[in-house]
mmCIF file of all heavy atoms in Angstrom:
data_model
loop_
_atom_site.group_PDB
_atom_site.id
_atom_site.type_symbol
_atom_site.label_atom_id
_atom_site.label_comp_id
_atom_site.label_asym_id
_atom_site.label_seq_id
_atom_site.Cartn_x
_atom_site.Cartn_y
_atom_site.Cartn_z
ATOM 1 N N ARG A 22 92.297 95.807 74.366
ATOM 2 C CA ARG A 22 92.018 96.342 75.688
ATOM 3 C C ARG A 22 92.973 97.614 75.978
ATOM 4 O O ARG A 22 92.639 98.550 76.447
ATOM 5 C CB ARG A 22 92.266 95.308 76.686
ATOM 6 C CG ARG A 22 91.029 94.330 76.835
ATOM 7 C CD ARG A 22 91.085 93.511 77.937
ATOM 8 N NE ARG A 22 92.307 92.718 78.084
ATOM 9 C CZ ARG A 22 92.640 91.581 77.624
ATOM 10 N NH1 ARG A 22 91.697 91.047 76.914
ATOM 11 N NH2 ARG A 22 93.704 90.941 77.949
ATOM 12 N N LEU A 23 94.310 97.279 75.671
ATOM 13 C CA LEU A 23 95.257 98.454 75.895
ATOM 14 C C LEU A 23 94.857 99.661 75.095
ATOM 15 O O LEU A 23 94.934 100.798 75.580
ATOM 16 C CB LEU A 23 96.685 98.012 75.401
ATOM 17 C CG LEU A 23 97.377 96.980 76.411
ATOM 18 C CD1 LEU A 23 98.575 96.354 75.675
ATOM 19 C CD2 LEU A 23 97.765 97.745 77.750
ATOM 20 N N VAL A 24 94.608 99.588 73.734
ATOM 21 C CA VAL A 24 94.273 100.687 72.969
ATOM 22 C C VAL A 24 93.030 101.344 73.445
ATOM 23 O O VAL A 24 92.956 102.674 73.513
ATOM 24 C CB VAL A 24 94.165 100.349 71.513
ATOM 25 C CG1 VAL A 24 93.649 101.415 70.694
ATOM 26 C CG2 VAL A 24 95.530 99.939 70.953
ATOM 27 N N SER A 25 91.964 100.611 73.979
ATOM 28 C CA SER A 25 90.767 101.189 74.473
ATOM 29 C C SER A 25 90.993 102.018 75.806
ATOM 30 O O SER A 25 90.200 102.882 76.074
ATOM 31 C CB SER A 25 89.701 100.141 74.741
ATOM 32 O OG SER A 25 90.079 99.389 75.860
ATOM 33 N N GLN A 26 92.144 101.785 76.400
ATOM 34 C CA GLN A 26 92.381 102.616 77.633
ATOM 35 C C GLN A 26 92.927 104.164 77.355
ATOM 36 O O GLN A 26 92.988 104.900 78.249
ATOM 37 C CB GLN A 26 93.488 101.901 78.442
ATOM 38 C CG GLN A 26 93.036 100.522 78.908
ATOM 39 C CD GLN A 26 91.888 100.660 79.899
ATOM 40 O OE1 GLN A 26 91.754 101.574 80.738
ATOM 41 N NE2 GLN A 26 90.846 99.720 79.753
ATOM 42 N N VAL A 27 93.266 104.338 76.076
ATOM 43 C CA VAL A 27 93.706 105.632 75.663
ATOM 44 C C VAL A 27 92.663 106.449 75.103
ATOM 45 O O VAL A 27 91.921 106.087 74.095
ATOM 46 C CB VAL A 27 94.869 105.501 74.665
ATOM 47 C CG1 VAL A 27 95.389 106.926 74.222
ATOM 48 C CG2 VAL A 27 96.024 104.625 75.272
ATOM 49 N N ASP A 28 92.375 107.756 75.621
ATOM 50 C CA ASP A 28 91.511 108.638 75.078
ATOM 51 C C ASP A 28 92.117 109.477 73.986
ATOM 52 O O ASP A 28 92.770 110.379 74.288
ATOM 53 C CB ASP A 28 90.890 109.609 76.241
ATOM 54 C CG ASP A 28 89.808 110.420 75.750
ATOM 55 O OD1 ASP A 28 89.646 110.675 74.591
ATOM 56 O OD2 ASP A 28 89.229 111.016 76.717
ATOM 57 N N LEU A 29 91.787 109.072 72.809
ATOM 58 C CA LEU A 29 92.549 109.642 71.550
ATOM 59 C C LEU A 29 92.050 111.231 71.469
ATOM 60 O O LEU A 29 92.837 112.065 70.998
ATOM 61 C CB LEU A 29 92.156 108.968 70.278
ATOM 62 C CG LEU A 29 92.751 107.590 70.294
ATOM 63 C CD1 LEU A 29 92.261 106.901 68.954
ATOM 64 C CD2 LEU A 29 94.254 107.510 70.438
ATOM 65 N N GLU A 30 90.776 111.461 71.844
ATOM 66 C CA GLU A 30 90.481 112.834 71.949
ATOM 67 C C GLU A 30 91.237 113.795 72.800
ATOM 68 O O GLU A 30 91.670 114.865 72.403
ATOM 69 C CB GLU A 30 88.955 113.065 72.195
ATOM 70 C CG GLU A 30 88.292 114.342 72.033
ATOM 71 C CD GLU A 30 88.074 114.585 70.684
ATOM 72 O OE1 GLU A 30 87.767 113.683 69.744
ATOM 73 O OE2 GLU A 30 88.263 115.773 70.165
ATOM 74 N N ARG A 31 91.639 113.242 73.952
ATOM 75 C CA ARG A 31 92.582 113.952 74.825
ATOM 76 C C ARG A 31 93.985 114.070 74.244
ATOM 77 O O ARG A 31 94.615 115.051 74.525
ATOM 78 C CB ARG A 31 92.585 113.256 76.200
ATOM 79 C CG ARG A 31 91.195 113.454 76.883
ATOM 80 C CD ARG A 31 91.211 112.689 78.274
ATOM 81 N NE ARG A 31 92.116 113.313 79.240
ATOM 82 C CZ ARG A 31 92.435 112.764 80.427
ATOM 83 N NH1 ARG A 31 91.787 111.677 80.740
ATOM 84 N NH2 ARG A 31 93.276 113.274 81.201
ATOM 85 N N ILE A 32 94.413 113.159 73.486
ATOM 86 C CA ILE A 32 95.683 113.108 72.738
ATOM 87 C C ILE A 32 95.591 114.249 71.828
ATOM 88 O O ILE A 32 96.692 115.117 71.690
ATOM 89 C CB ILE A 32 95.989 111.828 72.133
ATOM 90 C CG1 ILE A 32 96.233 110.645 73.020
ATOM 91 C CG2 ILE A 32 97.234 111.902 71.300
ATOM 92 C CD1 ILE A 32 97.391 110.781 73.991
ATOM 93 N N VAL A 33 94.572 114.426 71.046
ATOM 94 C CA VAL A 33 94.471 115.506 69.972
ATOM 95 C C VAL A 33 94.450 116.853 70.699
ATOM 96 O O VAL A 33 95.047 117.765 70.112
ATOM 97 C CB VAL A 33 93.114 115.216 69.216
ATOM 98 C CG1 VAL A 33 92.830 116.483 68.384
ATOM 99 C CG2 VAL A 33 93.155 113.974 68.351
ATOM 100 N N ASN A 34 94.001 116.879 71.924
ATOM 101 C CA ASN A 34 93.900 118.146 72.627
ATOM 102 C C ASN A 34 95.159 118.412 73.502
ATOM 103 O O ASN A 34 95.105 119.199 74.396
ATOM 104 C CB ASN A 34 92.648 118.194 73.460
ATOM 105 C CG ASN A 34 91.316 118.338 72.700
ATOM 106 O OD1 ASN A 34 91.406 119.006 71.671
ATOM 107 N ND2 ASN A 34 90.315 117.744 73.194
ATOM 108 N N HIS A 35 96.198 117.611 73.196
ATOM 109 C CA HIS A 35 97.542 117.766 73.791
ATOM 110 C C HIS A 35 97.567 117.520 75.360
ATOM 111 O O HIS A 35 98.212 118.285 76.026
ATOM 112 C CB HIS A 35 98.151 119.109 73.486
ATOM 113 C CG HIS A 35 98.141 119.393 71.932
ATOM 114 N ND1 HIS A 35 98.965 118.794 71.089
ATOM 115 C CD2 HIS A 35 97.340 120.225 71.221
ATOM 116 C CE1 HIS A 35 98.739 119.095 69.883
ATOM 117 N NE2 HIS A 35 97.753 120.075 69.896
ATOM 118 N N ASP A 36 96.737 116.613 75.802
ATOM 119 C CA ASP A 36 96.782 116.279 77.241
ATOM 120 C C ASP A 36 98.043 115.524 77.628
ATOM 121 O O ASP A 36 98.198 114.415 77.066
ATOM 122 C CB ASP A 36 95.534 115.488 77.533
ATOM 123 C CG ASP A 36 95.400 115.209 78.990
ATOM 124 O OD1 ASP A 36 96.216 114.336 79.594
ATOM 125 O OD2 ASP A 36 94.442 115.721 79.673
ATOM 126 N N ALA A 37 98.929 116.116 78.333
ATOM 127 C CA ALA A 37 100.217 115.430 78.765
ATOM 128 C C ALA A 37 99.985 114.166 79.336
ATOM 129 O O ALA A 37 100.733 113.152 79.180
ATOM 130 C CB ALA A 37 101.050 116.434 79.653
ATOM 131 N N ARG A 38 99.068 113.964 80.320
ATOM 132 C CA ARG A 38 98.954 112.800 81.005
ATOM 133 C C ARG A 38 98.420 111.612 80.117
ATOM 134 O O ARG A 38 98.980 110.565 80.198
ATOM 135 C CB ARG A 38 97.906 112.768 82.123
ATOM 136 C CG ARG A 38 98.376 113.511 83.416
ATOM 137 C CD ARG A 38 97.354 113.538 84.479
ATOM 138 N NE ARG A 38 97.813 113.551 85.839
ATOM 139 C CZ ARG A 38 97.025 113.704 86.714
ATOM 140 N NH1 ARG A 38 95.711 113.754 86.619
ATOM 141 N NH2 ARG A 38 97.611 113.709 88.023
ATOM 142 N N GLU A 39 97.530 111.859 79.295
ATOM 143 C CA GLU A 39 97.029 110.974 78.286
ATOM 144 C C GLU A 39 98.154 110.576 77.281
ATOM 145 O O GLU A 39 98.280 109.314 76.870
ATOM 146 C CB GLU A 39 95.818 111.485 77.526
ATOM 147 C CG GLU A 39 94.922 110.354 77.024
ATOM 148 C CD GLU A 39 94.352 109.528 77.998
ATOM 149 O OE1 GLU A 39 94.251 109.942 79.232
ATOM 150 O OE2 GLU A 39 93.831 108.410 77.607
ATOM 151 N N PHE A 40 99.057 111.575 76.924
ATOM 152 C CA PHE A 40 100.187 111.242 76.005
ATOM 153 C C PHE A 40 101.037 110.246 76.767
ATOM 154 O O PHE A 40 101.589 109.290 76.059
ATOM 155 C CB PHE A 40 100.841 112.524 75.621
ATOM 156 C CG PHE A 40 101.907 112.267 74.615
ATOM 157 C CD1 PHE A 40 101.590 112.074 73.228
ATOM 158 C CD2 PHE A 40 103.198 112.157 74.944
ATOM 159 C CE1 PHE A 40 102.558 111.748 72.395
ATOM 160 C CE2 PHE A 40 104.122 111.910 73.994
ATOM 161 C CZ PHE A 40 103.893 111.587 72.685
ATOM 162 N N GLU A 41 101.311 110.474 77.982
ATOM 163 C CA GLU A 41 102.278 109.578 78.714
ATOM 164 C C GLU A 41 101.624 108.107 78.715
ATOM 165 O O GLU A 41 102.435 107.132 78.682
ATOM 166 C CB GLU A 41 102.440 109.985 80.153
ATOM 167 C CG GLU A 41 103.300 111.195 80.303
ATOM 168 C CD GLU A 41 103.372 111.899 81.710
ATOM 169 O OE1 GLU A 41 102.589 111.271 82.567
ATOM 170 O OE2 GLU A 41 103.993 112.844 81.866
ATOM 171 N N LYS A 42 100.304 108.098 78.838
ATOM 172 C CA LYS A 42 99.611 106.878 78.768
ATOM 173 C C LYS A 42 99.773 106.130 77.497
ATOM 174 O O LYS A 42 100.077 104.936 77.297
ATOM 175 C CB LYS A 42 98.113 106.936 79.142
ATOM 176 C CG LYS A 42 97.383 105.622 79.422
ATOM 177 C CD LYS A 42 95.893 105.748 79.525
ATOM 178 C CE LYS A 42 95.476 106.599 80.724
ATOM 179 N NZ LYS A 42 93.970 106.554 80.753
ATOM 180 N N LEU A 43 99.726 106.915 76.537
ATOM 181 C CA LEU A 43 99.868 106.475 75.088
ATOM 182 C C LEU A 43 101.215 105.844 74.867
ATOM 183 O O LEU A 43 101.324 104.780 74.220
ATOM 184 C CB LEU A 43 99.553 107.564 74.132
ATOM 185 C CG LEU A 43 99.823 107.229 72.628
ATOM 186 C CD1 LEU A 43 98.825 106.080 72.079
ATOM 187 C CD2 LEU A 43 99.662 108.421 71.705
ATOM 188 N N VAL A 44 102.261 106.564 75.369
ATOM 189 C CA VAL A 44 103.664 106.126 75.252
ATOM 190 C C VAL A 44 103.794 104.666 75.998
ATOM 191 O O VAL A 44 104.285 103.738 75.478
ATOM 192 C CB VAL A 44 104.634 107.052 75.842
ATOM 193 C CG1 VAL A 44 106.005 106.445 76.027
ATOM 194 C CG2 VAL A 44 104.698 108.336 74.967
ATOM 195 N N LYS A 45 103.182 104.576 77.193
ATOM 196 C CA LYS A 45 103.102 103.230 77.922
ATOM 197 C C LYS A 45 102.490 102.171 77.140
ATOM 198 O O LYS A 45 102.953 100.937 77.009
ATOM 199 C CB LYS A 45 102.612 103.425 79.310
ATOM 200 C CG LYS A 45 103.533 104.295 80.225
ATOM 201 C CD LYS A 45 102.881 104.317 81.497
ATOM 202 C CE LYS A 45 103.783 105.178 82.488
ATOM 203 N NZ LYS A 45 103.232 105.418 83.762
ATOM 204 N N VAL A 46 101.348 102.441 76.630
ATOM 205 C CA VAL A 46 100.533 101.465 75.806
ATOM 206 C C VAL A 46 101.416 101.165 74.600
ATOM 207 O O VAL A 46 101.482 99.928 74.261
ATOM 208 C CB VAL A 46 99.169 102.022 75.373
ATOM 209 C CG1 VAL A 46 98.539 101.167 74.340
ATOM 210 C CG2 VAL A 46 98.272 102.154 76.585
ATOM 211 N N SER A 47 101.998 102.088 73.881
ATOM 212 C CA SER A 47 102.800 101.735 72.707
ATOM 213 C C SER A 47 103.944 100.744 73.088
ATOM 214 O O SER A 47 104.163 99.766 72.362
ATOM 215 C CB SER A 47 103.346 103.044 72.175
ATOM 216 O OG SER A 47 104.218 102.818 71.027
ATOM 217 N N ARG A 48 104.615 100.944 74.196
ATOM 218 C CA ARG A 48 105.630 100.084 74.659
ATOM 219 C C ARG A 48 105.082 98.736 74.981
ATOM 220 O O ARG A 48 105.687 97.598 74.600
ATOM 221 C CB ARG A 48 106.290 100.733 75.892
ATOM 222 C CG ARG A 48 107.184 101.801 75.559
ATOM 223 C CD ARG A 48 107.951 102.336 76.762
ATOM 224 N NE ARG A 48 108.625 103.577 76.506
ATOM 225 C CZ ARG A 48 108.653 104.564 77.234
ATOM 226 N NH1 ARG A 48 107.954 104.608 78.407
ATOM 227 N NH2 ARG A 48 109.219 105.676 76.959
ATOM 228 N N ALA A 49 103.899 98.623 75.666
ATOM 229 C CA ALA A 49 103.336 97.444 75.925
ATOM 230 C C ALA A 49 102.822 96.661 74.668
ATOM 231 O O ALA A 49 103.087 95.335 74.614
ATOM 232 C CB ALA A 49 102.036 97.587 76.947
ATOM 233 N N MET A 50 102.441 97.375 73.678
ATOM 234 C CA MET A 50 102.120 96.769 72.321
ATOM 235 C C MET A 50 103.425 96.087 71.786
ATOM 236 O O MET A 50 103.245 94.978 71.179
ATOM 237 C CB MET A 50 101.419 97.713 71.451
ATOM 238 C CG MET A 50 100.226 98.275 71.946
ATOM 239 S SD MET A 50 98.817 97.290 71.779
ATOM 240 C CE MET A 50 98.489 97.564 70.075
ATOM 241 N N ASP A 51 104.493 96.755 71.953
ATOM 242 C CA ASP A 51 105.745 96.171 71.366
ATOM 243 C C ASP A 51 106.070 94.973 72.028
ATOM 244 O O ASP A 51 106.472 93.974 71.506
ATOM 245 C CB ASP A 51 106.852 97.223 71.510
ATOM 246 C CG ASP A 51 106.685 98.400 70.515
ATOM 247 O OD1 ASP A 51 106.046 98.278 69.501
ATOM 248 O OD2 ASP A 51 107.401 99.481 70.726
ATOM 249 N N LEU A 52 105.847 94.984 73.354
ATOM 250 C CA LEU A 52 106.162 93.817 74.236
ATOM 251 C C LEU A 52 105.231 92.591 73.878
ATOM 252 O O LEU A 52 105.696 91.328 73.932
ATOM 253 C CB LEU A 52 106.062 94.051 75.801
ATOM 254 C CG LEU A 52 107.090 95.034 76.209
ATOM 255 C CD1 LEU A 52 106.800 95.420 77.649
ATOM 256 C CD2 LEU A 52 108.463 94.435 76.068
ATOM 257 N N LEU A 53 104.045 92.851 73.438
ATOM 258 C CA LEU A 53 103.090 91.776 73.154
ATOM 259 C C LEU A 53 103.662 90.899 71.995
ATOM 260 O O LEU A 53 103.246 89.791 71.859
ATOM 261 C CB LEU A 53 101.777 92.379 72.689
ATOM 262 C CG LEU A 53 100.776 92.709 73.768
ATOM 263 C CD1 LEU A 53 99.529 93.293 73.220
ATOM 264 C CD2 LEU A 53 100.399 91.368 74.589
ATOM 265 N N CYS A 54 104.488 91.462 71.169
ATOM 266 C CA CYS A 54 105.081 90.613 70.047
ATOM 267 C C CYS A 54 106.003 89.552 70.675
ATOM 268 O O CYS A 54 106.346 88.640 69.920
ATOM 269 C CB CYS A 54 105.708 91.587 69.149
ATOM 270 S SG CYS A 54 104.668 92.601 68.288
ATOM 271 N N ASN A 55 106.498 89.895 71.872
ATOM 272 C CA ASN A 55 107.602 88.935 72.311
ATOM 273 C C ASN A 55 107.385 88.421 73.705
ATOM 274 O O ASN A 55 108.115 87.391 74.028
ATOM 275 C CB ASN A 55 108.925 89.864 72.469
ATOM 276 C CG ASN A 55 109.319 90.372 71.110
ATOM 277 O OD1 ASN A 55 109.260 89.708 70.083
ATOM 278 N ND2 ASN A 55 109.707 91.609 71.103
ATOM 279 N N GLU A 56 106.369 88.795 74.382
ATOM 280 C CA GLU A 56 106.235 88.254 75.753
ATOM 281 C C GLU A 56 104.733 87.799 75.977
ATOM 282 O O GLU A 56 103.909 88.224 75.304
ATOM 283 C CB GLU A 56 106.530 89.393 76.756
ATOM 284 C CG GLU A 56 107.973 89.800 76.769
ATOM 285 C CD GLU A 56 108.265 90.740 77.842
ATOM 286 O OE1 GLU A 56 107.513 91.088 78.699
ATOM 287 O OE2 GLU A 56 109.417 91.433 77.797
ATOM 288 N N VAL A 57 104.544 87.218 77.103
ATOM 289 C CA VAL A 57 103.201 86.885 77.577
ATOM 290 C C VAL A 57 102.635 88.227 78.246
ATOM 291 O O VAL A 57 103.373 89.036 78.725
ATOM 292 C CB VAL A 57 103.262 85.744 78.691
ATOM 293 C CG1 VAL A 57 101.892 85.510 79.238
ATOM 294 C CG2 VAL A 57 103.873 84.571 78.047
ATOM 295 N N ASP A 58 101.308 88.324 78.147
ATOM 296 C CA ASP A 58 100.621 89.443 78.561
ATOM 297 C C ASP A 58 101.074 89.790 80.091
ATOM 298 O O ASP A 58 101.031 88.933 80.969
ATOM 299 C CB ASP A 58 99.153 89.293 78.683
ATOM 300 C CG ASP A 58 98.587 89.159 77.213
ATOM 301 O OD1 ASP A 58 99.229 89.426 76.261
ATOM 302 O OD2 ASP A 58 97.440 88.811 77.158
ATOM 303 N N LYS A 59 101.318 91.125 80.316
ATOM 304 C CA LYS A 59 101.608 91.538 81.656
ATOM 305 C C LYS A 59 100.868 92.929 81.841
ATOM 306 O O LYS A 59 100.725 93.683 80.856
ATOM 307 C CB LYS A 59 103.105 91.832 81.889
ATOM 308 C CG LYS A 59 103.952 90.744 81.747
ATOM 309 C CD LYS A 59 105.431 91.079 81.867
ATOM 310 C CE LYS A 59 106.368 89.822 81.739
ATOM 311 N NZ LYS A 59 107.746 90.106 81.702
ATOM 312 N N PRO A 60 100.249 93.211 83.115
ATOM 313 C CA PRO A 60 99.599 94.405 83.236
ATOM 314 C C PRO A 60 100.562 95.646 83.100
ATOM 315 O O PRO A 60 101.789 95.554 83.315
ATOM 316 C CB PRO A 60 99.209 94.410 84.692
ATOM 317 C CG PRO A 60 99.203 92.949 85.152
ATOM 318 C CD PRO A 60 100.337 92.376 84.241
ATOM 319 N N VAL A 61 99.993 96.693 82.549
ATOM 320 C CA VAL A 61 100.811 97.901 82.256
ATOM 321 C C VAL A 61 100.412 98.927 83.392
ATOM 322 O O VAL A 61 99.304 99.281 83.532
ATOM 323 C CB VAL A 61 100.407 98.529 80.829
ATOM 324 C CG1 VAL A 61 101.172 99.824 80.597
ATOM 325 C CG2 VAL A 61 100.750 97.557 79.817
ATOM 326 N N ALA A 62 101.456 99.342 84.111
ATOM 327 C CA ALA A 62 101.221 100.187 85.235
ATOM 328 C C ALA A 62 100.722 101.524 84.822
ATOM 329 O O ALA A 62 101.005 102.079 83.746
ATOM 330 C CB ALA A 62 102.658 100.467 85.948
#
Side-chain angles (χ1 to χ4, degrees):
R22 283 191 307 274
L23 284 169
V24 170
S25 72
Q26 297 298 317
V27 178
D28 185 345
L29 298 177
E30 192 68 36
R31 289 176 64 188
I32 296 291
V33 169
N34 292 324
H35 307 288
D36 183 291
R38 282 182 154 174
E39 202 66 15
F40 185 78
E41 289 173 356
K42 190 188 297 184
L43 176 64
V44 169
K45 290 179 181 181
V46 166
S47 178
R48 287 184 190 134
M50 298 282 281
D51 288 342
L52 292 174
L53 275 176
C54 295
N55 301 316
E56 295 183 13
V57 177
D58 295 346
K59 295 178 183 176
V61 178

